[in-house]
Amino acid sequence: MKKILFILFFSVLVVVAAFVIYLKSNPPLVINGYTSADGNPTNRLIEIENKGIRELQLQTILVDEKYPESAKLIVSKSEPFEIGTKIENNPNMTFHKLTQVRIFPSQYIDRQAIGKQPQHYAIQVNATTIQKVTIQYNYLKIPFTLTAELQPNNEQENDTKLK
């Protein structure tokens, strides 16, 4: 009887460990890119997406190993965050503290519910240059850290993509 319980316990432990290793090697949060907000070069938008199957909760953000002057989560109920997207006074965009809103998985977003349901997420930071972004978040009550090095394009606009 003890041998069966030991085998059962060990099997569950192996499955849980494999699941955690899988999650750590395939993190759910991704950065799609970033751009300047409302033409202000120090006001940056970092577009993020939850590729997981459950909601995730942001904890903190570091820009170039330092806390930014200000950081907000922007939820868009309409258009994606692109160059020239009007952020201020846009009725389809709401501003929140980083930890205030859970980020819904993109695969479950109803793209036909424009104006009614969150469609896109971005983090607004106040920083003159961004070379490295570190986002700490919780997914399934497990802490994760996403670190991305960003590199500017050679275009005239202030749009930037991931390396």
PDB file of all heavy atoms in Angstrom, residues 83-112:
ATOM      1  N   ILE A  83       1.417  53.822 -34.560  1.00  0.00           N
ATOM      2  CA  ILE A  83       1.896  55.196 -34.662  1.00  0.00           C
ATOM      3  C   ILE A  83       0.710  56.101 -34.947  1.00  0.00           C
ATOM      4  O   ILE A  83      -0.107  55.820 -35.821  1.00  0.00           O
ATOM      5  CB  ILE A  83       2.937  55.333 -35.787  1.00  0.00           C
ATOM      6  CG1 ILE A  83       4.158  54.508 -35.445  1.00  0.00           C
ATOM      7  CG2 ILE A  83       3.326  56.783 -35.999  1.00  0.00           C
ATOM      8  CD1 ILE A  83       5.165  54.451 -36.557  1.00  0.00           C
ATOM      9  N   GLY A  84       0.607  57.170 -34.191  1.00  0.00           N
ATOM     10  CA  GLY A  84      -0.472  58.125 -34.407  1.00  0.00           C
ATOM     11  C   GLY A  84      -1.768  57.783 -33.708  1.00  0.00           C
ATOM     12  O   GLY A  84      -2.746  58.509 -33.844  1.00  0.00           O
ATOM     13  N   THR A  85      -1.815  56.690 -32.962  1.00  0.00           N
ATOM     14  CA  THR A  85      -3.028  56.361 -32.220  1.00  0.00           C
ATOM     15  C   THR A  85      -3.261  57.416 -31.162  1.00  0.00           C
ATOM     16  O   THR A  85      -2.368  57.724 -30.374  1.00  0.00           O
ATOM     17  CB  THR A  85      -2.893  54.973 -31.551  1.00  0.00           C
ATOM     18  OG1 THR A  85      -2.676  53.993 -32.551  1.00  0.00           O
ATOM     19  CG2 THR A  85      -4.138  54.625 -30.767  1.00  0.00           C
ATOM     20  N   LYS A  86      -4.454  58.000 -31.159  1.00  0.00           N
ATOM     21  CA  LYS A  86      -4.791  59.033 -30.175  1.00  0.00           C
ATOM     22  C   LYS A  86      -5.131  58.343 -28.863  1.00  0.00           C
ATOM     23  O   LYS A  86      -6.051  57.544 -28.790  1.00  0.00           O
ATOM     24  CB  LYS A  86      -5.973  59.856 -30.669  1.00  0.00           C
ATOM     25  CG  LYS A  86      -6.382  60.934 -29.708  1.00  0.00           C
ATOM     26  CD  LYS A  86      -6.496  62.250 -30.402  1.00  0.00           C
ATOM     27  CE  LYS A  86      -7.040  63.334 -29.505  1.00  0.00           C
ATOM     28  NZ  LYS A  86      -6.178  63.704 -28.425  1.00  0.00           N
ATOM     29  N   ILE A  87      -4.376  58.652 -27.811  1.00  0.00           N
ATOM     30  CA  ILE A  87      -4.549  58.028 -26.511  1.00  0.00           C
ATOM     31  C   ILE A  87      -5.407  58.903 -25.600  1.00  0.00           C
ATOM     32  O   ILE A  87      -6.382  58.441 -25.014  1.00  0.00           O
ATOM     33  CB  ILE A  87      -3.176  57.756 -25.841  1.00  0.00           C
ATOM     34  CG1 ILE A  87      -2.302  56.914 -26.754  1.00  0.00           C
ATOM     35  CG2 ILE A  87      -3.348  57.112 -24.488  1.00  0.00           C
ATOM     36  CD1 ILE A  87      -2.811  55.539 -27.042  1.00  0.00           C
ATOM     37  N   GLU A  88      -5.021  60.156 -25.482  1.00  0.00           N
ATOM     38  CA  GLU A  88      -5.731  61.076 -24.592  1.00  0.00           C
ATOM     39  C   GLU A  88      -7.123  61.385 -25.150  1.00  0.00           C
ATOM     40  O   GLU A  88      -7.306  61.540 -26.345  1.00  0.00           O
ATOM     41  CB  GLU A  88      -4.947  62.380 -24.423  1.00  0.00           C
ATOM     42  CG  GLU A  88      -3.597  62.196 -23.772  1.00  0.00           C
ATOM     43  CD  GLU A  88      -3.672  61.654 -22.355  1.00  0.00           C
ATOM     44  OE1 GLU A  88      -4.612  62.002 -21.611  1.00  0.00           O
ATOM     45  OE2 GLU A  88      -2.777  60.872 -21.985  1.00  0.00           O
ATOM     46  N   ASN A  89      -8.105  61.452 -24.264  1.00  0.00           N
ATOM     47  CA  ASN A  89      -9.498  61.785 -24.588  1.00  0.00           C
ATOM     48  C   ASN A  89     -10.125  60.823 -25.587  1.00  0.00           C
ATOM     49  O   ASN A  89     -11.036  61.190 -26.322  1.00  0.00           O
ATOM     50  CB  ASN A  89      -9.612  63.226 -25.102  1.00  0.00           C
ATOM     51  CG  ASN A  89      -9.116  64.226 -24.086  1.00  0.00           C
ATOM     52  OD1 ASN A  89      -9.325  64.062 -22.881  1.00  0.00           O
ATOM     53  ND2 ASN A  89      -8.444  65.257 -24.548  1.00  0.00           N
ATOM     54  N   ASN A  90      -9.633  59.591 -25.643  1.00  0.00           N
ATOM     55  CA  ASN A  90     -10.220  58.574 -26.505  1.00  0.00           C
ATOM     56  C   ASN A  90     -11.205  57.772 -25.661  1.00  0.00           C
ATOM     57  O   ASN A  90     -10.815  57.140 -24.678  1.00  0.00           O
ATOM     58  CB  ASN A  90      -9.127  57.660 -27.066  1.00  0.00           C
ATOM     59  CG  ASN A  90      -9.640  56.710 -28.122  1.00  0.00           C
ATOM     60  OD1 ASN A  90     -10.799  56.311 -28.108  1.00  0.00           O
ATOM     61  ND2 ASN A  90      -8.766  56.317 -29.027  1.00  0.00           N
ATOM     62  N   PRO A  91     -12.497  57.782 -26.012  1.00  0.00           N
ATOM     63  CA  PRO A  91     -13.494  57.096 -25.176  1.00  0.00           C
ATOM     64  C   PRO A  91     -13.345  55.571 -25.156  1.00  0.00           C
ATOM     65  O   PRO A  91     -13.888  54.910 -24.276  1.00  0.00           O
ATOM     66  CB  PRO A  91     -14.827  57.505 -25.802  1.00  0.00           C
ATOM     67  CG  PRO A  91     -14.493  57.875 -27.209  1.00  0.00           C
ATOM     68  CD  PRO A  91     -13.096  58.416 -27.181  1.00  0.00           C
ATOM     69  N   ASN A  92     -12.603  55.004 -26.113  1.00  0.00           N
ATOM     70  CA  ASN A  92     -12.421  53.561 -26.156  1.00  0.00           C
ATOM     71  C   ASN A  92     -11.167  53.086 -25.439  1.00  0.00           C
ATOM     72  O   ASN A  92     -10.836  51.898 -25.491  1.00  0.00           O
ATOM     73  CB  ASN A  92     -12.383  53.076 -27.610  1.00  0.00           C
ATOM     74  CG  ASN A  92     -13.742  53.165 -28.259  1.00  0.00           C
ATOM     75  OD1 ASN A  92     -14.746  52.840 -27.644  1.00  0.00           O
ATOM     76  ND2 ASN A  92     -13.768  53.633 -29.493  1.00  0.00           N
ATOM     77  N   MET A  93     -10.455  54.008 -24.783  1.00  0.00           N
ATOM     78  CA  MET A  93      -9.241  53.634 -24.054  1.00  0.00           C
ATOM     79  C   MET A  93      -9.365  54.069 -22.607  1.00  0.00           C
ATOM     80  O   MET A  93      -9.794  55.184 -22.320  1.00  0.00           O
ATOM     81  CB  MET A  93      -8.009  54.260 -24.689  1.00  0.00           C
ATOM     82  CG  MET A  93      -7.754  53.704 -26.061  1.00  0.00           C
ATOM     83  SD  MET A  93      -6.149  54.103 -26.661  1.00  0.00           S
ATOM     84  CE  MET A  93      -6.325  53.576 -28.350  1.00  0.00           C
ATOM     85  N   THR A  94      -8.987  53.148 -21.711  1.00  0.00           N
ATOM     86  CA  THR A  94      -9.030  53.444 -20.286  1.00  0.00           C
ATOM     87  C   THR A  94      -7.640  53.244 -19.690  1.00  0.00           C
ATOM     88  O   THR A  94      -6.882  52.389 -20.136  1.00  0.00           O
ATOM     89  CB  THR A  94     -10.050  52.553 -19.559  1.00  0.00           C
ATOM     90  OG1 THR A  94      -9.742  51.181 -19.819  1.00  0.00           O
ATOM     91  CG2 THR A  94     -11.470  52.850 -20.017  1.00  0.00           C
ATOM     92  N   PHE A  95      -7.321  54.045 -18.674  1.00  0.00           N
ATOM     93  CA  PHE A  95      -6.027  54.003 -17.999  1.00  0.00           C
ATOM     94  C   PHE A  95      -6.204  53.371 -16.628  1.00  0.00           C
ATOM     95  O   PHE A  95      -7.148  53.679 -15.912  1.00  0.00           O
ATOM     96  CB  PHE A  95      -5.465  55.421 -17.845  1.00  0.00           C
ATOM     97  CG  PHE A  95      -5.139  56.082 -19.145  1.00  0.00           C
ATOM     98  CD1 PHE A  95      -6.133  56.695 -19.896  1.00  0.00           C
ATOM     99  CD2 PHE A  95      -3.851  56.092 -19.627  1.00  0.00           C
ATOM    100  CE1 PHE A  95      -5.839  57.308 -21.102  1.00  0.00           C
ATOM    101  CE2 PHE A  95      -3.542  56.693 -20.830  1.00  0.00           C
ATOM    102  CZ  PHE A  95      -4.542  57.300 -21.565  1.00  0.00           C
ATOM    103  N   HIS A  96      -5.264  52.496 -16.263  1.00  0.00           N
ATOM    104  CA  HIS A  96      -5.342  51.784 -14.989  1.00  0.00           C
ATOM    105  C   HIS A  96      -3.947  51.672 -14.385  1.00  0.00           C
ATOM    106  O   HIS A  96      -2.946  51.784 -15.080  1.00  0.00           O
ATOM    107  CB  HIS A  96      -5.895  50.368 -15.190  1.00  0.00           C
ATOM    108  CG  HIS A  96      -7.190  50.338 -15.919  1.00  0.00           C
ATOM    109  ND1 HIS A  96      -8.400  50.528 -15.317  1.00  0.00           N
ATOM    110  CD2 HIS A  96      -7.471  50.156 -17.234  1.00  0.00           C
ATOM    111  CE1 HIS A  96      -9.367  50.446 -16.206  1.00  0.00           C
ATOM    112  NE2 HIS A  96      -8.823  50.227 -17.394  1.00  0.00           N
ATOM    113  N   LYS A  97      -3.898  51.400 -13.086  1.00  0.00           N
ATOM    114  CA  LYS A  97      -2.628  51.048 -12.453  1.00  0.00           C
ATOM    115  C   LYS A  97      -2.219  49.683 -12.991  1.00  0.00           C
ATOM    116  O   LYS A  97      -3.068  48.897 -13.422  1.00  0.00           O
ATOM    117  CB  LYS A  97      -2.777  50.988 -10.941  1.00  0.00           C
ATOM    118  CG  LYS A  97      -3.065  52.323 -10.309  1.00  0.00           C
ATOM    119  CD  LYS A  97      -3.216  52.172  -8.817  1.00  0.00           C
ATOM    120  CE  LYS A  97      -3.566  53.505  -8.189  1.00  0.00           C
ATOM    121  NZ  LYS A  97      -3.806  53.379  -6.754  1.00  0.00           N
ATOM    122  N   LEU A  98      -0.924  49.384 -12.955  1.00  0.00           N
ATOM    123  CA  LEU A  98      -0.434  48.117 -13.509  1.00  0.00           C
ATOM    124  C   LEU A  98      -1.131  46.911 -12.887  1.00  0.00           C
ATOM    125  O   LEU A  98      -1.449  45.951 -13.578  1.00  0.00           O
ATOM    126  CB  LEU A  98       1.074  47.982 -13.305  1.00  0.00           C
ATOM    127  CG  LEU A  98       1.967  48.808 -14.201  1.00  0.00           C
ATOM    128  CD1 LEU A  98       3.424  48.554 -13.864  1.00  0.00           C
ATOM    129  CD2 LEU A  98       1.707  48.543 -15.660  1.00  0.00           C
ATOM    130  N   THR A  99      -1.354  46.939 -11.589  1.00  0.00           N
ATOM    131  CA  THR A  99      -1.916  45.774 -10.896  1.00  0.00           C
ATOM    132  C   THR A  99      -3.436  45.792 -10.828  1.00  0.00           C
ATOM    133  O   THR A  99      -4.025  44.883 -10.264  1.00  0.00           O
ATOM    134  CB  THR A  99      -1.355  45.695  -9.466  1.00  0.00           C
ATOM    135  OG1 THR A  99      -1.691  46.896  -8.769  1.00  0.00           O
ATOM    136  CG2 THR A  99       0.150  45.503  -9.482  1.00  0.00           C
ATOM    137  N   GLN A 100      -4.071  46.791 -11.399  1.00  0.00           N
ATOM    138  CA  GLN A 100      -5.511  46.963 -11.244  1.00  0.00           C
ATOM    139  C   GLN A 100      -6.345  46.047 -12.140  1.00  0.00           C
ATOM    140  O   GLN A 100      -7.419  45.614 -11.754  1.00  0.00           O
ATOM    141  CB  GLN A 100      -5.861  48.425 -11.530  1.00  0.00           C
ATOM    142  CG  GLN A 100      -7.272  48.803 -11.203  1.00  0.00           C
ATOM    143  CD  GLN A 100      -7.509  50.290 -11.414  1.00  0.00           C
ATOM    144  OE1 GLN A 100      -6.634  51.027 -11.873  1.00  0.00           O
ATOM    145  NE2 GLN A 100      -8.687  50.742 -11.075  1.00  0.00           N
ATOM    146  N   VAL A 101      -5.870  45.747 -13.333  1.00  0.00           N
ATOM    147  CA  VAL A 101      -6.653  45.001 -14.312  1.00  0.00           C
ATOM    148  C   VAL A 101      -5.908  43.733 -14.704  1.00  0.00           C
ATOM    149  O   VAL A 101      -4.704  43.755 -14.925  1.00  0.00           O
ATOM    150  CB  VAL A 101      -6.902  45.867 -15.572  1.00  0.00           C
ATOM    151  CG1 VAL A 101      -7.605  45.080 -16.658  1.00  0.00           C
ATOM    152  CG2 VAL A 101      -7.703  47.091 -15.214  1.00  0.00           C
ATOM    153  N   ARG A 102      -6.638  42.640 -14.811  1.00  0.00           N
ATOM    154  CA  ARG A 102      -6.062  41.388 -15.305  1.00  0.00           C
ATOM    155  C   ARG A 102      -6.096  41.408 -16.833  1.00  0.00           C
ATOM    156  O   ARG A 102      -7.036  41.899 -17.437  1.00  0.00           O
ATOM    157  CB  ARG A 102      -6.838  40.194 -14.780  1.00  0.00           C
ATOM    158  CG  ARG A 102      -6.730  40.042 -13.284  1.00  0.00           C
ATOM    159  CD  ARG A 102      -7.443  38.778 -12.839  1.00  0.00           C
ATOM    160  NE  ARG A 102      -7.355  38.601 -11.421  1.00  0.00           N
ATOM    161  CZ  ARG A 102      -6.350  38.001 -10.809  1.00  0.00           C
ATOM    162  NH1 ARG A 102      -5.345  37.532 -11.513  1.00  0.00           N
ATOM    163  NH2 ARG A 102      -6.327  37.874  -9.510  1.00  0.00           N
ATOM    164  N   ILE A 103      -5.048  40.843 -17.432  1.00  0.00           N
ATOM    165  CA  ILE A 103      -4.952  40.825 -18.896  1.00  0.00           C
ATOM    166  C   ILE A 103      -5.564  39.535 -19.409  1.00  0.00           C
ATOM    167  O   ILE A 103      -5.121  38.438 -19.078  1.00  0.00           O
ATOM    168  CB  ILE A 103      -3.495  40.988 -19.342  1.00  0.00           C
ATOM    169  CG1 ILE A 103      -3.013  42.332 -18.818  1.00  0.00           C
ATOM    170  CG2 ILE A 103      -3.377  40.850 -20.843  1.00  0.00           C
ATOM    171  CD1 ILE A 103      -1.656  42.719 -19.216  1.00  0.00           C
ATOM    172  N   PHE A 104      -6.583  39.692 -20.210  1.00  0.00           N
ATOM    173  CA  PHE A 104      -7.359  38.584 -20.743  1.00  0.00           C
ATOM    174  C   PHE A 104      -6.587  37.887 -21.857  1.00  0.00           C
ATOM    175  O   PHE A 104      -5.909  38.546 -22.643  1.00  0.00           O
ATOM    176  CB  PHE A 104      -8.682  39.153 -21.270  1.00  0.00           C
ATOM    177  CG  PHE A 104      -9.799  38.165 -21.350  1.00  0.00           C
ATOM    178  CD1 PHE A 104     -10.338  37.601 -20.216  1.00  0.00           C
ATOM    179  CD2 PHE A 104     -10.312  37.800 -22.581  1.00  0.00           C
ATOM    180  CE1 PHE A 104     -11.367  36.690 -20.297  1.00  0.00           C
ATOM    181  CE2 PHE A 104     -11.345  36.895 -22.683  1.00  0.00           C
ATOM    182  CZ  PHE A 104     -11.874  36.340 -21.533  1.00  0.00           C
ATOM    183  N   PRO A 105      -6.678  36.563 -21.986  1.00  0.00           N
ATOM    184  CA  PRO A 105      -5.979  35.860 -23.075  1.00  0.00           C
ATOM    185  C   PRO A 105      -6.495  36.295 -24.443  1.00  0.00           C
ATOM    186  O   PRO A 105      -7.698  36.412 -24.659  1.00  0.00           O
ATOM    187  CB  PRO A 105      -6.304  34.385 -22.831  1.00  0.00           C
ATOM    188  CG  PRO A 105      -6.760  34.311 -21.427  1.00  0.00           C
ATOM    189  CD  PRO A 105      -7.355  35.642 -21.085  1.00  0.00           C
ATOM    190  N   SER A 106      -5.592  36.534 -25.380  1.00  0.00           N
ATOM    191  CA  SER A 106      -5.977  37.040 -26.699  1.00  0.00           C
ATOM    192  C   SER A 106      -6.823  36.045 -27.485  1.00  0.00           C
ATOM    193  O   SER A 106      -7.650  36.442 -28.298  1.00  0.00           O
ATOM    194  CB  SER A 106      -4.741  37.430 -27.509  1.00  0.00           C
ATOM    195  OG  SER A 106      -3.904  36.315 -27.702  1.00  0.00           O
ATOM    196  N   GLN A 107      -6.641  34.753 -27.245  1.00  0.00           N
ATOM    197  CA  GLN A 107      -7.414  33.766 -28.002  1.00  0.00           C
ATOM    198  C   GLN A 107      -8.897  33.766 -27.617  1.00  0.00           C
ATOM    199  O   GLN A 107      -9.720  33.264 -28.366  1.00  0.00           O
ATOM    200  CB  GLN A 107      -6.821  32.378 -27.827  1.00  0.00           C
ATOM    201  CG  GLN A 107      -6.903  31.823 -26.418  1.00  0.00           C
ATOM    202  CD  GLN A 107      -6.218  30.476 -26.323  1.00  0.00           C
ATOM    203  OE1 GLN A 107      -5.783  29.926 -27.323  1.00  0.00           O
ATOM    204  NE2 GLN A 107      -6.133  29.948 -25.128  1.00  0.00           N
ATOM    205  N   TYR A 108      -9.237  34.332 -26.467  1.00  0.00           N
ATOM    206  CA  TYR A 108     -10.634  34.375 -26.034  1.00  0.00           C
ATOM    207  C   TYR A 108     -11.287  35.741 -26.219  1.00  0.00           C
ATOM    208  O   TYR A 108     -12.426  35.937 -25.831  1.00  0.00           O
ATOM    209  CB  TYR A 108     -10.748  33.967 -24.560  1.00  0.00           C
ATOM    210  CG  TYR A 108     -10.269  32.562 -24.308  1.00  0.00           C
ATOM    211  CD1 TYR A 108      -9.285  32.303 -23.374  1.00  0.00           C
ATOM    212  CD2 TYR A 108     -10.777  31.487 -25.018  1.00  0.00           C
ATOM    213  CE1 TYR A 108      -8.823  31.023 -23.144  1.00  0.00           C
ATOM    214  CE2 TYR A 108     -10.324  30.207 -24.806  1.00  0.00           C
ATOM    215  CZ  TYR A 108      -9.345  29.973 -23.864  1.00  0.00           C
ATOM    216  OH  TYR A 108      -8.895  28.709 -23.646  1.00  0.00           O
ATOM    217  N   ILE A 109     -10.567  36.693 -26.810  1.00  0.00           N
ATOM    218  CA  ILE A 109     -11.141  38.018 -27.046  1.00  0.00           C
ATOM    219  C   ILE A 109     -12.056  37.950 -28.253  1.00  0.00           C
ATOM    220  O   ILE A 109     -11.675  37.467 -29.311  1.00  0.00           O
ATOM    221  CB  ILE A 109     -10.025  39.064 -27.264  1.00  0.00           C
ATOM    222  CG1 ILE A 109      -9.245  39.255 -25.966  1.00  0.00           C
ATOM    223  CG2 ILE A 109     -10.617  40.382 -27.749  1.00  0.00           C
ATOM    224  CD1 ILE A 109      -8.057  40.175 -26.095  1.00  0.00           C
ATOM    225  N   ASP A 110     -13.266  38.450 -28.084  1.00  0.00           N
ATOM    226  CA  ASP A 110     -14.235  38.500 -29.170  1.00  0.00           C
ATOM    227  C   ASP A 110     -13.938  39.741 -30.009  1.00  0.00           C
ATOM    228  O   ASP A 110     -14.223  40.863 -29.600  1.00  0.00           O
ATOM    229  CB  ASP A 110     -15.657  38.553 -28.604  1.00  0.00           C
ATOM    230  CG  ASP A 110     -16.725  38.578 -29.680  1.00  0.00           C
ATOM    231  OD1 ASP A 110     -16.387  38.399 -30.878  1.00  0.00           O
ATOM    232  OD2 ASP A 110     -17.906  38.776 -29.339  1.00  0.00           O
ATOM    233  N   ARG A 111     -13.341  39.569 -31.166  1.00  0.00           N
ATOM    234  CA  ARG A 111     -12.943  40.688 -32.020  1.00  0.00           C
ATOM    235  C   ARG A 111     -14.147  41.411 -32.637  1.00  0.00           C
ATOM    236  O   ARG A 111     -13.995  42.488 -33.200  1.00  0.00           O
ATOM    237  CB  ARG A 111     -12.005  40.216 -33.133  1.00  0.00           C
ATOM    238  CG  ARG A 111     -10.715  39.607 -32.626  1.00  0.00           C
ATOM    239  CD  ARG A 111      -9.847  40.601 -31.914  1.00  0.00           C
ATOM    240  NE  ARG A 111      -8.620  39.950 -31.428  1.00  0.00           N
ATOM    241  CZ  ARG A 111      -7.793  40.468 -30.570  1.00  0.00           C
ATOM    242  NH1 ARG A 111      -8.040  41.645 -30.075  1.00  0.00           N
ATOM    243  NH2 ARG A 111      -6.723  39.819 -30.187  1.00  0.00           N
ATOM    244  N   GLN A 112     -15.326  40.841 -32.511  1.00  0.00           N
ATOM    245  CA  GLN A 112     -16.535  41.494 -33.011  1.00  0.00           C
ATOM    246  C   GLN A 112     -17.147  42.434 -31.962  1.00  0.00           C
ATOM    247  O   GLN A 112     -18.021  43.219 -32.276  1.00  0.00           O
ATOM    248  CB  GLN A 112     -17.583  40.444 -33.412  1.00  0.00           C
ATOM    249  CG  GLN A 112     -17.082  39.407 -34.399  1.00  0.00           C
ATOM    250  CD  GLN A 112     -16.536  40.027 -35.678  1.00  0.00           C
ATOM    251  OE1 GLN A 112     -17.092  40.963 -36.217  1.00  0.00           O
ATOM    252  NE2 GLN A 112     -15.409  39.504 -36.146  1.00  0.00           N
TER     253      GLN A 112
END
